[in-house]
Amino acid sequence: MSRTAKYRLSITFNAPVVLLFVLLCFLATLAGELTDGYATEKFFMAYHSSLLDPLTYLRLFTHVLGHSGWSHFVGNASYLLLLGPMLEEKYGGRNLAITIAVTALVIGLVHYIFFWNVAICGASGVVFAFILLASFTSFRDGEIPITFLLVAAIYLGQQIYNGLFTSDNISQLAHILGGIVGAVVGFACNRRGK
């Protein structure tokens, strides 16, 4: 074997679901930027709209793709790319895709039903689902990992505090709901052995 062959590196497509999700977020954010927010509002933002509008149902899922700008996208994409490959390897692409879809639907429905005057977009809820899901990586049946308890206390506690005592354009409820979905999926997947 030659010396150069021994040190050859290749790029691998290691987490197709996560990479596709981040790519879709990028394209949705780009579309929003190129249309001065029109595409984001029309296709990638969940808000209370007519049940006769077919886009209402689509937006219950696609709101996690749209972002308010590049810094919003980069912050979420960084966490998704950091945590996602490990989660996709452990739980499989199908389970991760289901986690993303369920997180989007839960957040979209709660905002549609209870917050008629609030629009929401961004993958932050999915990020929180991934964070809580990641804390289950060393889970064994009949045990609750201390890392899960600490992550839940720190991340969800911070979001509850921020929701009660700060006023910003960040949906702490989306983070909390995403974290709950991630915890439920992590518990369910680990309990049945993936």
Side-chain angles (χ1 to χ4, degrees), residues 8-179:
R8 272 181 76 186
L9 297 175
S10 61
I11 296 174
T12 59
F13 194 67
N14 62 325
V17 170
V18 172
L19 291 171
L20 178 61
F21 181 63
V22 171
L23 175 63
L24 291 174
C25 289
F26 171 80
L27 294 173
T29 304
L30 180 62
E33 291 291 312
L34 293 175
T35 61
D36 199 27
Y38 175 78
T40 302
E41 185 177 330
K42 188 77 172 165
F43 302 107
F44 306 113
M45 185 178 282
Y47 48 87
H48 197 84
S49 56
S50 172
L51 291 174
L52 299 176
D53 181 0
L55 291 178
T56 297
Y57 303 98
L58 177 70
R59 287 188 295 257
L60 291 175
F61 292 96
T62 60
H63 68 92
V64 295
L65 301 176
H67 288 79
S68 62
W70 290 116
S71 63
H72 187 204
F73 165 76
V74 168
N76 284 334
S78 300
Y79 279 107
L80 293 168
L81 292 170
L82 178 68
L83 297 169
M86 170 192 64
L87 296 174
E88 193 164 338
E89 183 178 322
K90 178 168 175 60
Y91 298 108
R94 181 176 173 272
N95 285 332
L96 212 55
I98 290 169
T99 301
I100 293 168
V102 169
T103 301
L105 181 61
V106 166
I107 293 168
L109 282 173
V110 167
H111 274 81
Y112 184 89
I113 294 168
F114 297 107
F115 301 96
W116 289 36
N117 60 343
V118 175
I120 186 168
C121 70
S124 302
V126 175
V127 167
F128 271 77
F130 279 19
I131 289 170
L132 270 287
L133 188 56
S135 69
F136 271 93
T137 55
S138 62
F139 179 87
R140 285 187 283 270
D141 200 18
E143 299 176 357
I144 298 175
I146 190 75
T147 53
F148 166 74
L149 296 174
L150 291 172
V151 167
I154 292 168
Y155 278 93
L156 295 180
Q158 177 190 29
Q159 295 311 305
I160 291 168
Y161 175 84
N162 288 344
L164 294 173
F165 300 109
T166 62
S167 178
D168 55 24
N169 287 331
I170 298 171
S171 175
Q172 282 79 24
L173 182 60
H175 298 170
I176 292 166
L177 293 171

